[in-house]
């Protein structure tokens, strides 16, 4: 926990917090070999503080490297939760923060969400297709088979 002034470039490990906590930095550039090691609470999505790790960037943020998460107060991150990983005040360059070692509840996976300006979030989403999606895939497959059969009869 604490503050690191000025621009920061990381090609090693960034582990914000003090089991857990918030790290404040100037502009932050994560390199392709960077590992971001976070602690997140399975049942509480409060951003930063003493609940979850957070990196607060005053300036630009370059995302890259791999995110690893140690789960606190449980064995896996619960479905439907959103965890704030970074806040930033400048521009965002997304070179892709990959998901590494993270335990998710059965039937769930993680997604790095950049849709909210000034935030980088980890969304825990269903990894099982919705029934409507399965129905559409089945219908598309049936139509393709029918079309192939019809083409074979005409030939």
């Amino acid at each position: 926990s604490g503050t690191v002034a000025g621009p920061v470039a990381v090609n090693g490990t960034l582990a914000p917090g003090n089991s857990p906590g918030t790290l404040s930095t100037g502009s932050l550039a994560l390199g392709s070999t960077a590992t971001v090691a976070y602690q997140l609470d399975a049942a509480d999505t409060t951003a930063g503080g003493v609940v979850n790790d957070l990196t607060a960037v005053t300036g630009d943020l370059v995302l890259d490297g791999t995110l690893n998460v140690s789960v606190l107060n449980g064995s896996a991150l619960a479905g439907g939760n959103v965890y704030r990983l970074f806040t930033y005040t400048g521009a965002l360059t997304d070179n892709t923060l990959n998901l590494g070692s993270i335990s998710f509840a059965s039937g769930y996976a993680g997604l790095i969400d950049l849709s909210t300006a000034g935030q980088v979030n980890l969304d825990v989403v269903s990894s099982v297709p919705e029934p409507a999606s399965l129905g559409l895939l089945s219908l598309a497959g049936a139509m393709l088979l029918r079309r192939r059969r019809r083409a074979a009869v005409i030939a």
Side-chain angles (χ1 to χ4, degrees):
S1 293
T3 301
V4 179
V8 178
V10 177
N11 287 305
T13 300
L14 174 71
N18 185 14
S19 295
T22 300
L23 175 66
S24 298
T25 72
S27 294
L28 174 63
L30 298 173
S32 62
T33 60
T35 299
V36 181
Y38 270 61
Q39 293 179 314
L40 300 175
D41 191 300
D44 189 339
T45 61
T46 302
V50 296
V51 179
N52 292 299
D53 282 339
L54 174 71
T55 302
V57 178
T58 301
D60 299 339
L61 173 60
V62 177
L63 275 184
D64 209 340
T66 302
L67 172 67
N68 294 326
V69 173
S70 296
V71 178
L72 304 173
N73 299 316
S75 59
L77 298 181
N81 284 343
V82 176
Y83 297 92
R84 185 156 316 133
L85 303 175
F86 296 90
T87 59
Y88 59 94
T89 61
L92 174 67
T93 302
D94 179 22
N95 294 335
T96 307
L97 180 61
N98 296 301
L99 300 182
S101 175
I102 307 172
S103 291
F104 295 104
S106 180
Y108 290 90
L111 170 72
I112 298 296
D113 178 2
L114 308 175
S115 64
T116 303
Q119 296 179 10
V120 176
N121 296 307
L122 173 63
D123 296 354
V124 182
V125 297
S126 176
S127 62
V128 178
E130 295 180 20
S133 299
L134 290 175
L136 287 174
L137 287 173
S138 298
L139 179 61
M143 303 238 348
L144 182 62
L145 283 174
R146 182 175 181 207
R147 186 174 191 182
R148 284 189 178 174
R149 286 184 188 159
R150 180 176 273 175
V153 171
I154 293 173

